[in-house]
Amino acid sequence: MTLTKRKLGTQGLTVSAIGLGCMGMSQAYGPADEAESIATLHRAIELGCNFLDTAEVYGPFANEELLGRALKGRREEVVIATKFGFRIEGGKMVRSERDSRPEHIRQAVEGSLGRLGTHYIDLLYQHRIDPAVPIEEVAGTVADLVSQGKVRFFGLSEAGVANIRRAHAVHPVSVLQSEYSLWERNLEADVIPVLRELGIGLVPFSPLGRGFLTGEVKRAEDYPEGDFRRNDPRYQGSNYDANVRAAHTVRDIAAAAHAKPGQIALAWLLHKGADIVPIPGTKRRQYLEENVAAASLQLDATQMQALDDALAPGKISGQRYGATMMAMVDR
């Protein structure tokens, strides 16, 4: 199948209905095979999955470099999103240190352009709100980069309502990227209504609950060193048991539809609005193909309600991040 397209924001950004999160090809989910990662990127293009998500901090730098190698000669076939906003020194991220000073943004963009082997970035996100830099300065700097042709569209990641409004007043925000899935519904009360009021698209990351909603999960301690899930509160102890019970409805609906649980989770997101484009991450062609196939699934109102109820916020156990990472979420 070839994916249909969706519009994000009102500035002209059009992408595939499902994107590809590339972070896991370089970090967080254990070792990756570069040949398979590149084959996965090429297969994504074949399937019409042209919306690729990366960041300077993934690696750091290694993920953008990987995309640069994989996309050589194919740049015009894809929409590349990358991010700035963390301090990186000596090739390592300085833990929890944010940096969105205008001079750093410009430096980060030059670095990303070089590593990606391109003259422009389709979608540039501020990775996390920097409390030391007014969002108006950030938006103004990105606006300058847009006017220079180095960036096409402006996005925010994990931003709250106040900063979304303030940024958008300076330069149009096309996209908010934030965690949103069946088991993480924190955006529904206030953020999503504001996005729709302002005409901003939503790109959910971790739409499969970091793998939990695929049905193929293990306890935190059963993952190898270097895998993010070892430290994920929702994979630990009694939280894990409670969340397995909550996710049972996803498996039941998947079985009835002759689909994978992860496909049901993605279909649920796609049914939540035409302004939503999830970016499930994978480093393998098999899972990419499964994810893309989710776009063809139809869920009726009864199924949607059953999923909404089974994984309502009060039924999910544990924070989505540890304390350090939660402190960087602008809520």
Side-chain angles (χ1 to χ4, degrees):
M1 63 168 292
T2 298
L3 279 169
T4 58
K5 298 289 193 292
R6 290 189 167 195
K7 293 180 180 179
L8 291 173
T10 58
Q11 291 72 50
L13 178 59
T14 301
V15 302
S16 52
I18 293 176
L20 173 59
C22 301
M23 180 184 75
M25 297 177 180
S26 302
Q27 70 171 54
Y29 292 94
D33 177 85
E34 178 165 321
E36 178 62 18
S37 293
I38 290 175
T40 300
L41 289 162
H42 291 168
R43 181 62 174 147
I45 295 172
E46 291 172 4
L47 294 172
C49 179
N50 73 339
F51 186 31
L52 308 179
D53 185 86
T54 184
E56 64 165 357
V57 79
Y58 297 163
F61 307 139
N63 201 241
E64 289 182 328
E65 292 168 346
L66 172 68
L67 264 65
R69 292 192 293 274
L71 300 175
K72 193 170 183 179
R74 308 192 69 172
R75 172 65 181 94
E76 300 306 314
E77 299 178 63
V78 296
V79 177
I80 298 175
T82 193
K83 312 174 194 73
F84 65 85
F86 287 109
R87 281 183 60 203
I88 300 171
E89 294 180 358
K92 294 184 179 180
M93 173 184 167
V94 180
R95 187 169 178 81
S96 74
E97 288 288 330
R98 287 160 279 182
D99 188 349
S100 284
R101 292 170 300 143
E103 58 268 33
H104 176 74
I105 296 172
R106 296 186 187 99
Q107 181 184 42
V109 165
E110 292 302 324
S112 292
L113 291 170
R115 288 185 291 273
L116 290 165
T118 183
H119 298 300
Y120 65 95
I121 294 164
D122 293 294
L123 175 58
L124 181 68
Y125 292 105
Q126 182 188 35
H127 210 151
R128 292 292 186 272
I129 294 294
D130 183 348
V133 180
I135 193 66
E136 290 83 359
E137 290 188 22
V138 174
T141 304
V142 176
D144 290 343
L145 292 164
V146 171
S147 69
Q148 294 166 22
K150 294 180 179 180
V151 172
R152 294 180 63 218
F153 301 100
F154 177 33
L156 298 173
S157 181
E158 292 281 34
V161 166
N163 278 309
I164 292 169
R165 289 190 182 279
R166 288 168 56 194
H168 193 70
V170 174
H171 183 81
V173 177
S174 296
V175 181
L176 175 75
Q177 180 177 127
S178 197
E179 185 169 0
Y180 182 52
S181 69
L182 266 170
W183 85 337
E184 185 46 64
R185 313 271 288 278
N186 72 88
L187 305 181
E188 292 180 345
D190 57 354
V191 174
I192 289 177
V194 168
L195 298 183
R196 289 180 171 155
E197 172 195 336
L198 299 177
I200 298 172
L202 175 62
V203 170
F205 68 80
S206 297
L208 301 177
R210 301 185 181 87
F212 207 103
L213 297 174
T214 66
E216 299 177 7
V217 293
K218 300 176 285 189
R219 292 182 179 276
E221 59 269 23
D222 293 331
Y223 287 97
E225 290 292 340
D227 192 302
F228 179 90
R229 289 165 289 190
R230 283 182 67 89
N231 299 308
D232 189 320
R234 292 185 176 178
Y235 276 77
Q236 296 172 349
S238 60
N239 288 346
Y240 175 88
D241 298 324
N243 293 332
V244 166
R245 290 192 296 270
H248 192 77
T249 297
V250 184
R251 297 195 299 275
D252 290 345
I253 290 176
H258 305 289
K260 300 280 188 179
Q263 293 175 321
I264 296 299
L266 291 172
W268 177 87
L269 274 171
L270 293 171
H271 281 65
K272 282 292 180 176
D275 54 354
I276 295 176
V277 174
I279 49 167
T282 185
K283 51 194 174 185
R284 296 183 180 89
R285 283 169 287 182
Q286 173 191 345
Y287 298 128
L288 167 74
E289 291 169 357
E290 288 179 7
N291 293 339
V292 167
S296 65
L297 289 176
Q298 296 297 317
L299 299 177
D300 61 30
T302 300
Q303 291 169 318
M304 288 292 290
Q305 190 63 54
L307 291 165
D308 281 339
D309 293 345
L311 288 101
K315 296 181 181 177
I316 303 302
S317 184
Q319 291 271 17
R320 61 187 174 111
Y321 285 137
T324 299
M325 291 188 68
M326 277 303 298
M328 290 190 287
V329 175
D330 182 38
R331 297 285 190 277

